[in-house]
Amino acid sequence: DTAVSQTPKYLVTQMGNDKSIKCEQNLGHDTMYWYKQDSKKFLKIMFSYNNKELIINETVPNRFSPKSPDKAHLNLHINSLELGDSAVYFCASSRRDGNYGYTFGSGTRLTVV
Amino acid sequence: DAKTTQPPSMDCAEGRAANLPCNHSTISGNEYVYWYRQIHSQGPQYIIHGLKNNETNEMASLIITEDRKSSTLILPHATLRDTAVYYCIVFQTQGGSEKLVFGKGMKLTVNP
């Protein structure tokens, strides 16, 4: 059983398109996150949700909109994709207090052409 | 705004112990030291964490100095599959608003 699963694993799309990445966790965690890893390999947090409530929004453009239908799912919708959005996006989950570590998904490699 | 410093890279021979250092001189009393690693193209993986006592699990041991200003992650018998970027992170739980901030990490290469 995959603890944190993301789909799709790869996504190639044209500039200006709208796309979504889905994430699901079966660990019973209360908190979920989206991280972005750019070409220089820096991992940066984008959002966190705790039990469907947005907790952290790290100065991410409005084109990025997370949606959490329930505490086991956190999807990321991106409007009007730009070349600079090309990156690997990781979903993660944790207990509410973050202790005992975050569990990350295997990532979605987004390429905007 | 990572609060830790690590050497950029390190080599280790397969089968030997790998000792990965980390400095966190500004750590505060209620901040934990966490270690994660990222094997090429995979998601980061939690390894171990500690507050002030030394910790051991099935993956590694964590040695924290008495003044808590530095720590060492020990992989007792490194294998080729341990080649990865290792991140040392200080982290404080804040009732849900905390965030795990990754620095540049340290690339460990295990050589045959």
Side-chain angles (χ1 to χ4, degrees):
Chain A
D1 276 351
T2 304
V4 179
S5 59
Q6 298 178 227
T7 54
K9 189 171 176 63
Y10 299 97
L11 184 54
V12 181
T13 187
Q14 290 186 326
M15 282 175 55
N17 283 351
D18 303 338
K19 291 293 179 185
S20 292
I21 307 172
K22 295 186 176 181
C23 179
E24 176 182 4
Q25 56 96 3
N26 62 4
L27 298 166
H29 287 162
D30 292 310
T31 308
M32 297 184 72
Y33 312 82
W34 278 109
Y35 278 78
K36 178 181 179 181
Q37 187 166 40
D38 60 25
S39 58
K40 295 183 179 178
K41 304 296 184 184
F42 290 121
L43 265 164
K44 292 185 179 178
I45 190 167
M46 300 172 69
F47 302 103
S48 80
Y49 266 74
N50 185 274
N51 202 11
K52 302 193 297 178
E53 180 185 353
L54 179 66
I55 302 296
I56 294 173
N57 181 339
E58 286 286 302
T59 323
V60 178
N62 292 338
R63 299 182 295 103
F64 291 79
S65 53
K67 286 187 170 50
S68 181
D70 55 62
K71 74 173 193 177
H73 296 83
L74 180 62
N75 304 323
L76 184 64
H77 188 76
I78 315 170
N79 290 327
S80 303
L81 278 155
E82 301 176 357
L83 293 177
D85 298 332
S86 296
V88 182
Y89 293 84
F90 289 100
C91 177
S93 72
S94 74
R95 288 177 14 168
R96 188 179 191 280
D97 59 8
N99 214 345
Y100 298 101
Y102 290 22
T103 302
F104 284 80
S106 57
T108 296
R109 182 174 293 277
L110 171 66
T111 303
V112 182
V113 297
Chain B
D1 53 348
K3 298 170 67 175
T4 64
T5 54
Q6 301 175 254
S9 63
M10 185 175 157
D11 280 22
C12 176
E14 188 178 18
R16 305 296 293 268
N19 297 307
L20 286 65
C22 180
N23 286 323
H24 31 79
S25 58
T26 61
I27 193 170
S28 61
N30 51 1
E31 285 182 317
Y32 288 77
V33 179
Y34 274 75
W35 283 83
Y36 284 77
R37 72 181 182 183
Q38 187 173 25
I39 297 171
H40 180 63
S41 298
Q42 297 181 21
Q45 177 189 23
Y46 164 80
I47 301 173
I48 199 168
H49 76 284
L51 185 62
K52 48 187 173 182
N53 296 325
N54 298 337
E55 302 287 345
T56 295
N57 63 21
E58 66 279 2
M59 289 183 69
S61 294
L62 174 60
I63 308 297
I64 302 175
T65 57
E66 195 168 337
D67 63 8
R68 303 211 322 127
K69 293 185 177 181
S70 65
S71 60
T72 301
L73 179 75
I74 301 172
L75 308 178
H77 305 286
T79 70
L80 298 180
R81 287 178 293 181
D82 292 321
T83 292
V85 177
Y86 287 76
Y87 297 94
C88 170
I89 303 170
V90 295
F91 179 78
Q92 177 185 4
T93 60
Q94 296 174 349
S97 62
E98 58 281 322
K99 54 185 179 181
L100 200 63
V101 177
F102 288 83
K104 297 179 182 178
M106 187 201 80
K107 177 68 185 291
L108 172 70
T109 302
V110 180
N111 299 306

